[in-house]
């Protein structure tokens, strides 16, 4: 009966299927109505559903792909599909989660050979473009959903905090593993990872609407903006720029950080 109830739901409904719809998956919900698998089998099922959805989004488009179609292609019941993702929209959140972890792993591997801050930052941004490249064709469809500031799928929402925290931690590594970090004001070092993540969000926005081959304009934007950002941050260590740095820290602390979900502003 649980599968039948899930089958009768429309794609827009938000209720999660009962745990009995996914035998062996006894985990509680993740933020945004997603089930957190705790067994190898349930993790494999969740990954299969997500990978199938990504493939169908590429082949058919986001709007034309239903949860029923995803379940059928994945070879699972509709109840199972709704158990792990309570609505089609939350597959976007699953996409964020996986993309963020894949990006962080790739970036750390690529920047391991250098301590130059500008180079590490460019590697981190370029790695995101390479990781996201297969999904560019339907990125605008995702953006329409995620751009709503009241949506739990917004990258700034509390529900997106786990993926965002992973990305911010990567940018912390970008800075801390560089030769620049020991020269900067300690408080600025604490704030910069969040600011660098916001810089990534600007790159993502540009990338979504970039229709050049291999998103070359976005890549050129990264190549040209990264050295500029690195120079500005490097200048902050000189005494003559300290008043400007204090003003910038105040703006970041008072106006930027409070807009990011689960950010504690002391």
């Amino acid at each position: 009966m649980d599968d039948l109830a899930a089958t009768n739901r429309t794609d827009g409904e938000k209720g999660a299927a009962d745990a009995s719809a996914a035998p062996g998956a006894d985990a509680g919900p993740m933020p945004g109505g997603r089930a957190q698998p705790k067994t190898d089998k349930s993790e494999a099922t969740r990954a299969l559903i997500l990978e199938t959805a990504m493939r169908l989004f590429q082949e058919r488009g986001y709007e034309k792909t239903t949860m029923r179609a995803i379940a059928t292609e994945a070879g699972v019941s509709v109840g199972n599909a709704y158990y792990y993702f309570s609505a089609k929209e939350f597959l976007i959140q699953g996409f964020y989660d996986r993309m963020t972890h894949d990006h962080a792993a790739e970036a750390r591997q690529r920047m391991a050979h250098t301590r130059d801050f500008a180079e590490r930052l460019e590697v981190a941004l370029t790695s995101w473009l390479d990781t996201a490249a297969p999904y560019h064709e339907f990125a605008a469809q995702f953006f329409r959903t995620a751009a709503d500031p009241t949506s739990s799928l917004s990258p700034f929402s509390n529900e997106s905090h786990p993926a965002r925290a992973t990305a911010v931690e990567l940018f912390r590594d970008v800075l801390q593993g560089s030769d620049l970090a020991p020269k900067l004001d300690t408080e600025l070092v604490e704030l910069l990872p969040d600011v660098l993540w916001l810089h990534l969000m600007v790159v993502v926005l540009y990338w979504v609407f970039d229709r050049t081959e291999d998103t070359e304009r976005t890549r050129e934007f990264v190549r040209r903006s990264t050295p500029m950002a690195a120079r500005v941050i490097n200048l902050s260590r000189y005494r003559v720029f300290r008043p400007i740095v204090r003003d910038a820290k105040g703006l970041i602390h008072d106006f930027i950080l409070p807009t990011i979900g689960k950010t504690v502003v002391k």
Side-chain angles (χ1 to χ4, degrees):
M1 292 298 292
D2 291 323
D3 283 0
L4 178 60
T7 302
N8 289 334
R9 279 202 301 267
T10 63
D11 283 345
E13 291 178 316
K14 308 299 183 185
D18 187 89
S20 60
D26 57 356
M30 294 173 69
R34 297 167 290 150
Q36 171 65 67
K38 289 186 178 179
T39 67
D40 290 343
K41 182 179 179 180
S42 60
E43 176 59 42
T45 301
R46 183 179 185 276
L48 174 62
I49 293 168
L50 181 58
E51 288 166 8
T52 302
M54 294 301 104
R55 175 171 59 82
L56 292 182
F57 290 160
Q58 287 178 294
E59 293 174 358
R60 307 178 185 181
Y62 176 76
E63 297 297 339
K64 294 182 179 180
T65 302
T66 65
M67 286 291 282
R68 181 183 292 278
I70 293 167
T72 300
E73 287 284 328
V76 302
S77 70
V78 180
N80 256 353
Y82 274 110
Y83 176 78
Y84 291 106
F85 300 95
S86 62
K88 187 175 69 171
E89 290 82 356
F90 290 110
L91 286 158
I92 299 175
Q93 193 65 265
F95 170 72
Y96 287 160
D97 294 343
R98 190 177 72 175
M99 267 282 302
T100 302
H101 282 89
D102 290 350
H103 165 227
E106 179 69 16
R108 287 189 173 100
Q109 182 179 0
R110 291 190 191 183
M111 68 184 183
H113 70 285
T114 181
R115 295 191 67 232
D116 180 78
F117 173 71
E119 187 174 349
R120 289 171 69 86
L121 180 57
E122 183 171 344
V123 164
L125 296 174
T126 303
S127 295
W128 189 93
L129 296 176
D130 293 339
T131 304
Y135 310 105
H136 184 254
E137 288 303 314
F138 58 91
Q141 295 171 322
F142 280 178
F143 181 78
R144 282 200 298 270
T145 303
D148 181 355
T150 64
S151 171
S152 62
L153 301 179
S154 165
F156 297 90
S157 70
N158 284 336
E159 289 83 357
S160 295
H161 175 73
R164 186 173 58 250
T166 298
V168 170
E169 190 59 31
L170 168 63
F171 285 109
R172 193 177 308 281
D173 288 351
V174 168
L175 182 60
Q176 295 284 12
S178 74
D179 51 10
L180 179 60
K183 305 172 185 178
L184 298 178
D185 178 272
T186 303
E187 188 177 354
L188 187 60
V189 169
E190 284 300 308
L191 293 175
L192 274 175
D194 284 293
V195 177
L196 294 175
W197 174 78
L198 289 171
H199 180 52
L200 172 63
M201 291 298 98
V202 172
V203 172
V204 171
L205 178 60
Y206 195 93
W207 173 83
V208 165
F209 295 101
D210 185 357
R211 289 296 175 262
T212 58
E213 186 175 355
D214 194 29
T215 57
E216 181 54 37
R217 284 188 63 84
T218 306
R219 294 176 184 276
E220 181 63 18
F221 174 75
V222 169
R223 283 192 290 268
R224 292 175 60 177
S225 66
T226 301
M228 184 185 307
R231 283 196 296 271
V232 170
I233 293 171
N234 186 52
L235 286 173
S236 71
R237 62 195 178 98
Y238 295 107
R239 186 179 298 275
V240 67
F241 292 105
R242 290 294 172 83
I244 298 176
V245 171
R246 283 195 295 270
D247 289 343
K249 286 192 296 188
L251 285 172
I252 294 167
H253 191 273
D254 295 340
F255 293 97
I256 296 178
L257 295 186
T259 67
I260 303 175
K262 288 193 176 180
T263 296
V264 178
V265 181
K266 298 180 180 179

